[in-house]
Amino acid sequence: MNRNDFIKQASLFTAAGTLLPNDLLGNPLNLDRYKLLNSIGVQLFSLPSSLEKDFKGSIAMLAQIGFKEIEMFGPYSYSALSAQERWKAVTPMLGFSGSGYFGHSEEEIKGIFKEYGMKVPAMHTDLETLENN
């Protein structure tokens, strides 16, 4: 099994494990308390190689399997220089170019998320960028 297939299957099993127990088992564990969960999110940090190869297709796949919220991760064009330097050290191991927008503009990213009904309530960034940029 290649890495992309593994990520797709792991995502499906995660979503299924969250959604199916209540439906299949008739709520034996009193899962009514979880009805407040209206949307499921995913950290894009878990899919850097897939996003690098086909950003729009990866977002479409996430939307298709039920994810509605995204947590972005940097570095961004406005990230502190120290953060950008730290990312340069780890991006070769992660399988992406080191751009939180994966080669797209902010407007393109926003349009893709809108097209697939995704919200971005969170982002992974560093304290220096938050304080200064």
Side-chain angles (χ1 to χ4, degrees), residues 43-45 47-48 51-52 55 59 70-79 83-84 87-88 91 94 96-106 108-110 112-113 120 122-125:
Q43 295 174 317
L44 293 186
F45 187 77
L47 305 164
L51 293 162
E52 182 78 15
F55 185 85
I59 298 302
I70 298 292
E71 180 184 56
M72 298 287 294
F73 72 97
Y76 310 100
S77 57
Y78 50 84
S79 292
Q84 291 181 23
W87 275 106
K88 283 182 187 176
T91 54
L94 298 175
F96 83 112
S97 66
S99 164
Y101 296 131
F102 300 92
H104 297 279
S105 72
E106 293 174 21
E108 289 172 324
I109 294 290
K110 184 178 177 182
I112 291 168
F113 289 152
V120 186
M123 65 183 276
H124 179 124
T125 192

Side-chain angles (χ1 to χ4, degrees), residues 19-123:
L19 301 173
L20 292 179
N22 194 27
D23 295 332
L24 293 178
L25 303 175
N27 200 20
L29 302 175
N30 192 20
L31 296 176
D32 290 336
R33 64 181 173 225
Y34 297 111
K35 288 190 177 184
L36 295 175
L37 181 64
N38 295 323
S39 61
I40 298 172
V42 64
Q43 295 174 317
L44 293 186
F45 187 77
S46 60
L47 305 164
S49 183
S50 177
L51 293 162
E52 182 78 15
K53 290 177 185 165
D54 182 9
F55 185 85
K56 188 173 181 177
S58 297
I59 298 302
M61 183 237 351
L62 292 171
Q64 184 179 19
I65 61 176
F67 288 106
K68 297 183 188 297
E69 295 183 348
I70 298 292
E71 180 184 56
M72 298 287 294
F73 72 97
Y76 310 100
S77 57
Y78 50 84
S79 292
L81 291 177
S82 60
Q84 291 181 23
E85 289 300 316
R86 286 191 301 270
W87 275 106
K88 283 182 187 176
V90 297
T91 54
M93 294 178 287
L94 298 175
F96 83 112
S97 66
S99 164
Y101 296 131
F102 300 92
H104 297 279
S105 72
E106 293 174 21
E107 289 303 315
E108 289 172 324
I109 294 290
K110 184 178 177 182
I112 291 168
F113 289 152
K114 185 175 181 178
E115 179 179 347
Y116 291 101
M118 296 287 199
K119 295 180 183 176
V120 186
M123 65 183 276

